[in-house]
Amino acid sequence: MRKSKTTKKDRNERREELLRPSRSLGYDRDELGMYFVSRRAYKIAESQFRRAVWLNPYEYHFVCHLAWCLYKQERYKEAKVYIERVDAKYVNEETRMIIEQIKQKVL
């Protein structure tokens, strides 16, 4: 019988799937995303934020950062969809301002 040959990428994806969701995952992706936003590399930042949200759907900062990145790309409706996922009881003042800017733009 032949062994099924798996690539390194397949193994990494399987390992990541086993670890997901964990409250400690995604922070490195979020930091990278914020760096790319500061450099106005929004497409790259978006991919990092999406990965952070996928890894850790519990962290509302990741969702807010993704929404802000979409807002910066003038994708307001998509940003509003993500911002509506954030529970208002967890947001701080900075996040509240981002939420209001996004909602105003969509109206």
Side-chain angles (χ1 to χ4, degrees):
M1 284 193 159
R2 277 178 118 180
K3 278 189 176 180
S4 175
K5 190 171 186 176
T6 60
T7 63
K8 186 175 184 179
K9 182 179 177 184
D10 292 335
R11 283 180 282 174
N12 287 341
E13 286 177 355
R14 278 197 319 244
R15 182 180 63 224
E16 214 166 59
E17 185 64 34
L18 291 171
L19 293 173
R20 184 183 167 266
S22 169
R23 297 192 187 282
S24 63
L25 288 177
Y27 289 94
D28 56 340
R29 299 290 181 158
D30 186 63
E31 284 182 37
L32 275 173
M34 291 305 288
Y35 172 78
F36 288 127
V37 165
S38 73
R39 299 292 181 234
R40 299 175 193 244
Y42 299 121
K43 284 287 197 190
I44 301 169
E46 179 187 347
S47 70
Q48 295 302 314
F49 291 137
R50 286 188 187 278
R51 188 67 166 177
V53 169
W54 183 82
L55 287 168
N56 191 346
Y58 302 110
E59 184 59 61
Y60 73 91
H61 287 295
F62 300 168
V63 178
C64 288
H65 292 159
L66 174 58
W68 182 245
C69 184
L70 293 169
Y71 174 85
K72 289 292 201 174
Q73 295 177 68
E74 299 178 358
R75 293 163 54 190
Y76 306 120
K77 288 183 181 177
E78 195 175 347
K80 186 177 183 230
V81 169
Y82 279 98
I83 215 67
E84 288 173 345
R85 292 172 46 185
V86 177
D87 192 348
K89 67 181 177 184
Y90 296 118
V91 297
N92 58 19
E93 192 59 37
E94 178 186 355
T95 306
R96 192 170 285 116
M97 288 182 357
I98 291 171
I99 291 170
E100 289 305 316
Q101 281 185 315
I102 291 170
K103 286 184 177 179
Q104 287 175 3
K105 213 49 158 169
V106 175
L107 296 176

